[in-house]
Amino acid sequence: ALSDRLQKILGGFRSRARLNAAEIESGLREIRIALLEADVNLKVARGFVTRLKDKLASETVGRALTPAQTIVKLVHEEMVNVLGGDEAAQLAATSYAGRFSPMMLIGLQGSGKTTTAGKLALRFRNEGQRPLLVALDLKRPAAVEQVSIIAGEIGVAAHSGTATTPVDLAREALSYARKEGFSPVLFDTAGRLQIDTELMDELTAIRQVVEPVEVFLVADAMTGQEAVNIAQAFNEKVALTGVILSKFDSDTRGGAALSIRETVGVPIRFVGTGERPDEIEPFYPERWASWILG
Amino acid sequence: ATGEAELGEEYYSELHDALILADIGAALAEKTVSWLRTTSSEQGVSSSEVARQLLKQRLTEMLATEEPKPLFADERLNVILFAGVNGTGKTTMLAKIARLLLDENLSVVAAAADTFRAAAVEQLSIWGQRVGFPVITGAQGADPASVVYNTVEHALAQGKHAVLIDTAGRMQTKTALMDELSKIGRAARKVVEKRGEDPDEKLHEVNLLVLDATTGQNAISQAKLFSEAIALHGLVLNKIDGTAKGGVIFPVVATAQVPVMFLGVGEDVDDIVEFDAAEFASALLD
Ligand SMILES: Nc1nc2c(ncn2[C@@H]2O[C@H](COP(=O)(O)OP(=O)(O)OP(=O)(O)O)[C@@H](O)[C@H]2O)c(=O)[nH]1
Ligand SMILES: Nc1nc2c(ncn2[C@@H]2O[C@H](COP(=O)(O)OP(=O)(O)OP(=O)(O)O)[C@@H](O)[C@H]2O)c(=O)[nH]1
Ligand SMILES: [Mg+2]
Ligand SMILES: [Mg+2]
């Protein structure tokens, strides 16, 4: 773990007040490597280390802390800072009660959109609302069935329409939801590549119909260096209101969280922690920072 | 720029960045760049074109493994198992490989051994109908190994050439699920042993780990822990039609010593490519 590696390199307690240049260099090198191994984007890792260098140069090693502990504390603070502090927890307390709340889930193939739609629907149901799940994926075999099975398992309504294109289906579901008083309305879309112009245009068309109050990019927590490009492309096409990182129950360090938040500027709202509909929680930067620092 | 200055600091720094961005990982990126520095100076290389050739050669060699097992063997029941973490494209790849085998006039039957996920069996059944292979199912929540057992029994009785096993996505860190996978991996042999026959003579088993090209360094952990649950004979790298280069496959092959067999290049049944290391290395460097 990074904190252990730093401890090994920088040794025990000392009477000197500051870290010397050589110590800062070796400490920063370890941090940069750890960030890259955690799949943090290269540019983001570099920027992070550069900011940290300035902080370390002027930091006084506390009497009760080893140099490694001092560095870890600063890294932890900087990470929580970049990740928006407790903004996700605050946003998770958003109440959609009393206002019609359509929401979209978008992202690459297999990232966990459909499963996440079910998780959000269950949260809203537990908050006393009447959510509606809408399957807009007409391409993947049994995608619509998957949504209706999930809906049945969590005791939530699923819309089954007759329209034959995702845009028309969205329109149909929207008017059904308004008429029957369902809210929030969760639109589960088909997975698509951010470089597929036709499908990205379809997303814009769906957004125009749905007029969502939330647009969530569902991304795999174990995504590598491409996380930034992917998030950026989706954000440019349909302005994101949040990112949900799925599959955080793997042993991935989830560097994509730092990369996406810093570069795209969209908050990481939730993390998926398993396959069951109750396995979702607000994103806690403190926890993520401790996880990366080991 | 041409001439001596071509392989200067800027060249190596840009190369290092390109390798990292391709998900090859910090350790291997550093090792590869230092190898190129040494080799270039030893061989008096000064042009980036020659350096690229050296690099491509080196990367290609990294993907070579000893004694790769063929996907298919005559005179035996071929059992091909698709394993991997959630959402990597296992079910879709099974359909693609079924298509390849059917095109060779081989008979195929699939075992719907994902008895857990919503609509997993329905998804595979639809592929079976589209592509033209029967799918043997069990009850929702049934023991996956029992579905494999029944399918292998059926395949032996009917003289089928291949059984393709679809398994549920699972995180490599969940011991109970990895134990379940080990059990699934033993099911075919149990059928043969029960008939009093030798599984090593009767079966040709190929266990494939299906990886997503967008995955970062976690693929290394996936390969390690999956290989502890079942013997791995091949890797599949899916979604290479996206922008991710799938460079993590280099440290994965280095640690797992298992060859890449196929690339998934899209969502349709014919979006499959037989893996070619040199082509892959070349594409990575572009
Ligand atoms: N372990 C774990 N598995 C997850 C999580 N979220 C989703 N999954 C699984 O990931 C796989 C893919 O999930 P889906 O919901 O089908 O993904 P999708 O984005 O809708 O896929 P497409 O519609 O094909 O693009 C399934 O096996 C899910 O059960 C999570 O947080 N943890
Ligand atoms: N672009 C692209 N999409 C793919 C590829 N292979 C599979 N997909 C898509 O990825 C999504 C997940 O595929 P599945 O076959 O359901 O994946 P899986 O591994 O069986 O998923 P689980 O069983 O839930 O773990 C689907 O939307 C597929 O169409 C590929 O090579 N390229
Ligand atoms: Mg889906
Ligand atoms: Mg599957």
Side-chain angles (χ1 to χ4, degrees):
Chain A
L2 176 58
S3 52
D4 298 327
R5 293 221 289 272
L6 290 172
Q7 185 60 43
K8 256 213 185 100
I9 295 170
L10 302 171
F13 297 96
R14 58 176 66 181
S15 52
R16 270 170 287 156
R18 300 226 167 151
L19 299 155
N20 65 43
E23 287 170 325
I24 290 178
E25 274 312 306
S26 53
L28 291 179
R29 177 183 150 77
E30 283 306 312
I31 290 165
R32 201 190 85 247
I33 292 174
L35 291 177
L36 291 178
E37 285 178 350
D39 294 321
V40 173
N41 177 267
L42 181 61
K43 278 210 189 71
V44 172
R46 284 215 171 106
F48 189 90
V49 168
T50 304
R51 288 197 305 278
L52 207 61
K53 184 170 187 170
D54 298 336
K55 295 214 163 112
L56 286 179
S58 58
E59 180 76 9
T60 307
V61 179
R63 288 201 179 283
L65 298 175
T66 64
Q69 287 170 332
T70 303
I71 293 181
V72 167
K73 176 162 106 23
L74 282 175
V75 172
H76 198 274
E77 278 172 14
E78 183 61 13
M79 280 177 171
V80 172
N81 194 28
V82 171
L83 289 167
D86 67 347
E87 136 199 82
Q90 288 184 16
L91 287 169
T94 306
S95 170
Y96 302 99
R99 53 173 175 140
F100 184 65
S101 303
M103 303 179 179
M104 281 172 69
L105 291 110
I106 67 181
L108 296 180
Q109 290 89 347
S111 66
K113 299 173 291 301
T114 305
T115 309
T116 303
K119 291 174 180 180
L120 290 176
L122 183 59
R123 271 182 78 91
F124 297 138
R125 201 204 75 167
N126 290 340
E127 287 169 5
Q129 309 209 54
R130 281 185 75 225
L132 180 71
L133 278 168
V134 181
L136 295 184
D137 185 351
L138 298 176
K139 181 159 70 164
R140 168 174 158 151
V144 175
E145 263 128 305
Q146 187 184 4
V147 171
S148 82
I149 290 171
I150 289 171
E153 285 175 354
I154 62 176
V156 160
H159 180 252
S160 78
T162 56
T164 55
T165 71
V167 180
D168 291 338
L169 209 48
R171 198 171 286 120
E172 187 182 352
L174 205 64
S175 72
Y176 173 80
R178 281 191 188 280
K179 179 161 150 287
E180 301 294 322
F182 285 109
S183 181
V185 189
L186 293 152
F187 291 89
D188 176 31
T189 65
R192 67 203 65 216
L193 298 178
Q194 85 276 14
I195 49 171
D196 187 325
T197 356
E198 193 182 326
L199 286 184
M200 291 304 277
D201 286 344
E202 178 189 85
L203 222 45
T204 312
I206 294 172
R207 187 185 210 284
Q208 282 175 347
V209 164
V210 169
E211 295 181 312
V213 306
E214 298 282 6
V215 178
F216 293 122
L217 172 68
V218 180
D220 202 317
M222 60 184 95
T223 308
Q225 292 290 316
E226 274 302 293
V228 166
N229 289 336
I230 294 162
Q232 239 157 5
F234 276 99
N235 191 40
E236 276 162 29
K237 230 22 193 164
V238 247
L240 304 174
T241 60
V243 172
I244 301 179
L245 290 175
S246 67
K247 311 178 202 171
F248 236 111
D249 46 312
S250 68
D251 56 3
T252 184
R253 296 286 131 177
L258 195 71
S259 312
I260 293 175
R261 181 66 177 86
E262 168 145 328
T263 326
V264 188
V266 178
I268 313 295
R269 302 280 297 271
F270 295 96
V271 294
T273 57
E275 294 194 70
R276 295 196 328 264
D278 59 352
E279 295 182 299
I280 184 171
E281 51 187 66
F283 175 67
Y284 297 112
E286 298 273 349
R287 275 192 214 165
W288 181 88
S290 305
W291 170 240
I292 282 235
L293 288 163
Chain B
T2 48
E4 291 299 316
E6 219 173 333
L7 296 189
E9 278 318 302
E10 189 178 340
Y11 172 84
Y12 286 113
S13 147
E14 282 181 12
L15 173 63
H16 174 264
D17 285 7
L19 293 175
I20 296 271
L21 291 174
D23 284 319
I24 215 169
L28 197 53
E30 215 150 300
K31 219 163 139 223
T32 306
V33 169
S34 88
W35 170 86
L36 189 62
R37 273 184 197 276
T38 310
T39 310
S40 299
S41 90
E42 277 173 3
Q43 299 190 13
V45 176
S46 59
S47 100
S48 65
E49 201 33 62
V50 176
R52 186 181 189 284
Q53 283 312 311
L54 280 176
L55 195 52
K56 177 180 161 185
Q57 170 80 354
R58 172 80 168 179
L59 291 175
T60 306
E61 284 164 11
M62 279 188 208
L63 295 175
T65 59
E66 299 208 8
E67 304 285 340
K69 200 173 191 182
L71 180 72
F72 188 87
D74 291 324
E75 310 291 311
R76 291 198 200 180
L77 178 63
N78 290 274
V79 182
I80 305 171
L81 183 149
F82 296 81
V85 304
N86 306 71
T88 56
K90 299 176 289 302
T91 305
T92 311
M93 180 51 66
L94 184 156
K96 292 172 181 176
I97 289 186
R99 168 84 277 155
L100 284 186
L101 297 174
L102 289 169
D103 284 348
E104 297 290 320
N105 287 319
L106 300 164
S107 56
V108 174
V109 57
D114 179 354
T115 56
F116 169 74
R117 206 207 70 208
V121 172
E122 287 85 335
Q123 182 187 8
L124 182 63
S125 299
I126 291 172
W127 276 119
Q129 288 161 27
R130 278 186 198 174
V131 174
F133 57 88
V135 177
I136 307 249
T137 66
Q140 181 72 13
D143 174 15
S146 69
V147 179
V148 175
Y149 193 96
N150 295 338
T151 310
V152 172
E153 269 195 329
H154 164 91
L156 287 170
Q158 300 289 322
K160 302 275 184 181
H161 294 110
V163 170
L164 271 48
I165 304 170
D166 189 25
T167 68
R170 66 199 67 225
M171 286 307 167
Q172 71 276 24
T173 46
K174 301 194 169 159
T175 8
L177 296 182
M178 297 313 280
D179 289 344
E180 179 187 83
L181 184 63
S182 303
K183 191 156 173 268
I184 293 170
R186 291 192 298 267
R189 300 182 68 87
K190 275 179 67 184
V191 178
V192 175
E193 282 162 359
K194 208 146 196 230
R195 291 157 61 109
E197 291 163 335
D198 181 2
D200 294 322
E201 283 194 8
K202 274 292 189 193
L203 301 174
H204 177 78
E205 293 176 291
V206 174
N207 298 332
L208 300 174
L209 177 63
V210 181
L211 300 169
D212 186 328
T214 66
T215 299
Q217 301 306 298
N218 192 254
I220 300 168
S221 159
Q222 291 173 23
K224 177 171 181 296
L225 295 176
F226 269 86
S227 67
E228 287 172 16
I230 47 168
L232 294 180
H233 306 107
L235 303 169
V236 171
L237 189 60
N238 272 336
K239 310 180 198 173
I240 207 77
D241 48 317
T243 53
K245 298 244 173 173
V248 69
I249 206 75
F250 287 93
V252 165
V253 171
T255 38
Q257 279 304 300
V258 181
V260 184
M261 285 190 175
F262 296 101
L263 297 176
V265 295
E267 302 192 68
D268 294 331
V269 75
D270 42 14
D271 289 330
I272 175 173
V273 168
E274 232 182 280
F275 186 71
D276 181 300
E279 276 182 27
F280 188 80
S282 196
L284 191 108
L285 295 174
D286 284 340

